[in-house]
């Protein structure tokens, strides 16, 4: 009942020309896919050109970050309204790189999340434990505290449009994917916390898995009850590989994953 949602996070990669070339190859590869929602979060500089290059394709745009203020003296920042203006439907918030490298706290992320919802865009809230936290048996404590903190200002009337990405930090860009069972355990925990916070709307919230997702491991991850999509970094930079991830059902039905 939850439509799978697979999003690309290009981080600080691709020039405008490279983004346009990606769209030229990628759009035809997913043109007939109607049962998976797709989004791409390029660098801010490529948003407008990518929108134009995707044309009538169903692929949505996402921002990689946003500030919670509407406008003002915030050098280097971008507002939610600016992202909406360029055609974004989603905004990634609280990515582990933002948390670890740029000091973003849950309280800061909570303000952004509220601003994204207020503007009618859809947040993709990232949560996940580090290797040290997992080894110390603190995974669930970390997830609980990130969810409570980052969702502190969330609008319950927009709960169903919220997307949460469970991204174990030790799996991001490392080639080490969580096993489907381990990921499902975390996703089930996340959904239970979302149910405490939002009630029955939690059943509609898509929970993406992120962390070294590849064409070979997507089908097994997606077979889990509470894994509703993927947030893909490295493997989303290549149009053939990202389209193979989106067409995971064909792999499940055919070649073993
Ligand atoms: C990410 O950065 O959100 C991510 C999941 O990256 P990768 O797929 O490269 O691990």
């Amino acid at each position: 009942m939850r439509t799978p949602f697979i999003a690309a996070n290009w981080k600080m990669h691709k020039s405008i020309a490279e983004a346009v070339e990606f769209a030229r190859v990628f759009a035809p590869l997913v043109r007939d896919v109607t049962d998976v929602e797709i989004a791409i979060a390029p660098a801010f500089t490529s948003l407008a050109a990518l929108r134009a290059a995707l044309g009538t394709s169903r692929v949505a745009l996402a921002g990689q970050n946003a500030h919670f203020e509407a406008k003002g003296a915030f050098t280097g920042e971008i507002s939610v309204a600016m992202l909406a203006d360029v055609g974004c439907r989603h905004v990634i918030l609280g990515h582990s790189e933002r948390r670890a490298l740029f000091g973003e706290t849950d309280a800061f992320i909570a303000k952004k999340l509220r601003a994204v919802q207020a503007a009618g865009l859809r947040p993709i809230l990232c949560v996940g434990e580090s290797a040290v936290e997992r080894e110390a048996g603190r995974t669930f404590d970390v997830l609980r505290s990130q969810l409570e903190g980052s969702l502190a200002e969330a609008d319950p009337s927009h709960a169903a449009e919220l997307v949460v990405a469970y991204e174990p930090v030790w799996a991001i860009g490392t080639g080490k994917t969580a096993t489907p069972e381990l990921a499902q355990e975390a996703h089930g925990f996340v959904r239970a916390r979302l149910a405490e916070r939002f009630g029955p709307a939690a059943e509609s919230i898509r929970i993406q898995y992120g962390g070294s997702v590849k064409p070979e491991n997507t089908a097994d991850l997606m077979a889990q009850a509470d894994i509703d999509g993927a947030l893909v970094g490295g493997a989303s930079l290549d149009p053939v590989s990202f389209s193979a991830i989106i067409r995971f059902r064909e792999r499940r039905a055919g070649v073993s994953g």
Side-chain angles (χ1 to χ4, degrees), residues 9 11 95 97 167 171-174 210-213 231-235:
N9 174 13
K11 311 190 185 188
H95 190 277
E97 288 150 18
E167 299 207 299
I172 296 180
T174 59
S212 299
V213 170
L231 184 55
V232 190

Side-chain angles (χ1 to χ4, degrees), residues 89-104:
R89 179 175 163 88
H90 309 271
V91 187
I92 299 172
L93 296 175
H95 190 277
S96 63
E97 288 150 18
R98 300 293 323 165
R99 292 175 186 266
L101 304 174
F102 302 100
E104 291 201 7

Side-chain angles (χ1 to χ4, degrees), residues 41-127:
F44 295 136
T45 48
S46 296
L47 279 165
L50 189 59
R51 174 74 289 146
L54 287 168
T56 56
S57 136
R58 295 167 51 253
V59 179
L61 285 188
Q64 294 182 17
N65 186 24
H67 197 275
F68 54 83
E69 293 286 358
K71 60 172 82 164
F74 302 101
T75 302
E77 293 293 324
I78 190 158
S79 75
V80 179
M82 289 167 182
L83 292 177
D85 192 33
V86 74
C88 286
R89 179 175 163 88
H90 309 271
V91 187
I92 299 172
L93 296 175
H95 190 277
S96 63
E97 288 150 18
R98 300 293 323 165
R99 292 175 186 266
L101 304 174
F102 302 100
E104 291 201 7
T105 62
D106 287 315
F108 190 56
I109 295 161
K111 287 194 171 72
K112 295 167 181 241
L113 194 135
R114 185 182 57 180
V116 169
Q117 289 184 318
L121 271 67
R122 297 166 176 227
I124 301 174
L125 171 66
C126 303
V127 295

